[in-house]
Amino acid sequence: RAHSGDHNCNFNTRASPLCTCRRQLSYWSATAGCSDMEFLRSMSHPEELLALLKFRYGGGREAVMPNSHMPNLSPDMQLCFDLLNRTSRSFAAVIQALDEELRFPVCLFYLVLRALDTVEDDMTIPVDEKVVMLKAFYTHLEEPGWTYTACQDKDKIVLENFSTISAEYRRLAPAYREVISDICRRMGEGMTVFLETHPDSLEDWDKYCHYVAGLVGIGLSRLFSVSELEDTCVGKDEQLANSMGLFLQKTNIIRDYLEDVNEGRQFWPKAVWSLYGKQLDEFKKSENSDQALSCLNHLITNALQHAPDVLAYMSQIKNKSVFNFCAIPQVMAIGTLARCYNNHDVFTGVVKIRRGEAVRMMMEATSMEPLKQTMHQSTCEIGSKIPFTDPCAIQTLQIVQKVLEICSTETAPKSRSSQLGGTLTSLLARLKYVAAVAVVAFTWQYWSV
């Protein structure tokens, strides 16, 4: 099953290649109808209250997600958008907000990968048979009339109507088809790697996240370039595009610890959690809270390593609809990491961003400078919570400082930034001093034996 609340799974499973985007982008549809209760929850946060009011009554929603008109759709393309809405309303909203040149290719890209993922999610298919199906799935794009009607997964409708999806795919320009087919092939092969195994090492974790999210970022980036709405460099730099996906996927995996563990799934890499405990599910116990927080902070520090690539990628994006499409999940992700850092609630419940906070971040992430400011604020929040005793404190401080330097702008909150910068420098100096003392003590003890 997919790594998402939208699915039901056990492990021989992996995270859905599209669940990352679906969960992060769910803020789009969720905030479209902000309730009165959401206004009350933001009463103590004036900036959030203002954002909610502007989003609901002041044209903010249209600025972030303009209404798109799609007249004269063919019956087959109308069915494709209906399938998109039935499998992910949130993704449908943001895809339809893209410029027309990208709207259809991205819609079909999503549906093809959703169909592939549905095969992987179906636990009634024997593993040996599933491996063959996944590796060969991309070939069905060129096979008129192919459908799969034996699927038992909840999204089986995309497989039952795959002949329509593939027919519309074959009507795309050859450059779009090449991208979609290539990513489908690579993802199908990658899915087979983790059908029955856990990502144990950090290298495995990166590989796993690449297959389920990085390839989505790479494919989208190539589509952006093919459309000529973005420069060719956007589609050619797979490292930056991969980091966009990894940053989102790792955030979801970190945040969803309790849900996954309770359902018997393991996505935190053993190479990290085994440093702090004997079993991953032991972190739920209150007596293990210190070790749990150290493990959590370790993984968040690892995820933050992708933030510089995210900022480098976003600096290349010129088209407004593409920028919004890419930026909003990223600011939600770093906001989620800031909320999760050193927060024991990760092990007892669900850590969420307030609706008003999500709306504020969405509305601030529509161009590069405001995006940098929003990421600056979330990074400052992480830096302000680094415990002196945390085993990864030095590494966390270093990546926080790096991100803050990249995000430094005229609009950044200078007083808070300067104050935090001084705090980080002071804490880093103290940590290095303690480390040096420990080395001297160890050396003295060694030579005294």
Side-chain angles (χ1 to χ4, degrees), residues 143-327:
E143 187 178 340
W146 185 88
T147 60
Y148 182 70
T149 58
C151 181
Q152 301 300 311
D153 186 78
K154 73 177 188 65
D155 286 333
K156 62 183 181 179
I157 189 171
V158 291
L159 289 167
E160 294 169 346
N161 289 276
F162 196 78
S163 60
T164 300
I165 296 170
S166 66
E168 287 300 312
Y169 159 86
R170 290 190 295 276
R171 292 189 180 100
L172 292 174
Y176 287 128
R177 297 203 304 270
E178 180 183 353
V179 173
I180 296 172
S181 177
D182 180 54
I183 296 300
C184 183
R185 176 188 61 80
R186 292 164 66 181
M187 186 173 287
E189 292 179 355
M191 285 178 174
T192 66
V193 175
F194 291 99
L195 274 177
E196 297 183 291
T197 61
H198 304 282
D200 286 341
S201 68
L202 282 172
E203 291 76 15
D204 285 344
W205 203 39
D206 281 351
K207 182 186 294 185
Y208 163 74
C209 292
H210 165 73
Y211 288 138
V212 302
L215 282 173
V216 177
I218 291 169
L220 287 170
S221 300
R222 290 170 61 186
L223 292 177
F224 298 157
S225 292
V226 168
S227 73
E228 297 185 353
L229 294 176
E230 299 296 343
D231 294 338
T232 56
C233 64
V234 173
K236 287 183 177 179
D237 195 331
E238 291 200 356
Q239 177 183 329
L240 294 185
N242 188 57
S243 284
M244 292 282 284
L246 265 62
F247 191 59
L248 297 181
Q249 187 67 23
K250 288 182 178 183
T251 297
N252 282 342
I253 290 173
I254 291 167
R255 179 194 60 195
D256 294 341
Y257 163 86
L258 189 64
E259 175 189 340
D260 289 333
V261 166
N262 285 344
E263 296 189 20
R265 303 189 300 271
Q266 180 176 307
F267 293 107
W268 284 23
K270 186 176 182 180
V272 174
W273 65 254
S274 62
L275 298 174
Y276 305 99
K278 295 181 179 179
Q279 297 294 332
L280 183 58
D281 60 2
E282 291 180 354
F283 294 144
K284 295 190 297 182
K285 301 176 182 178
S286 58
E287 60 266 28
N288 297 323
S289 60
D290 290 344
Q291 297 93 323
L293 287 177
S294 294
C295 184
L296 171 66
N297 295 345
H298 190 144
L299 290 177
I300 290 176
T301 299
N302 177 277
L304 282 173
Q305 304 296 326
H306 300 290
D309 277 355
V310 168
L311 288 160
Y313 180 95
M314 292 306 306
S315 69
Q316 300 176 349
I317 303 299
K318 309 301 180 187
N319 179 270
K320 182 173 177 57
S321 72
V322 173
F323 192 96
N324 291 348
F325 182 89
C326 297

Side-chain angles (χ1 to χ4, degrees), residues 321-383:
S321 72
V322 173
F323 192 96
N324 291 348
F325 182 89
C326 297
I328 291 174
Q330 301 296 332
V331 296
M332 296 301 175
I334 198 165
T336 299
L337 291 180
R339 189 58 46 84
C340 289
Y341 186 83
N342 208 48
N343 184 352
H344 198 265
D345 289 348
V346 172
F347 303 97
T348 59
V350 179
V351 177
K352 292 183 178 180
I353 297 174
R354 290 183 302 276
R355 188 72 55 81
E357 188 177 8
V359 170
R360 177 186 61 78
M361 295 170 74
M362 283 171 52
M363 293 176 63
E364 291 176 352
T366 55
S367 61
M368 193 61 201
E369 289 305 308
L371 169 66
K372 288 164 68 176
Q373 180 179 354
T374 300
M375 295 193 72
H376 187 282
Q377 291 170 346
S378 294
T379 306
C380 279
E381 182 179 343
I382 294 173

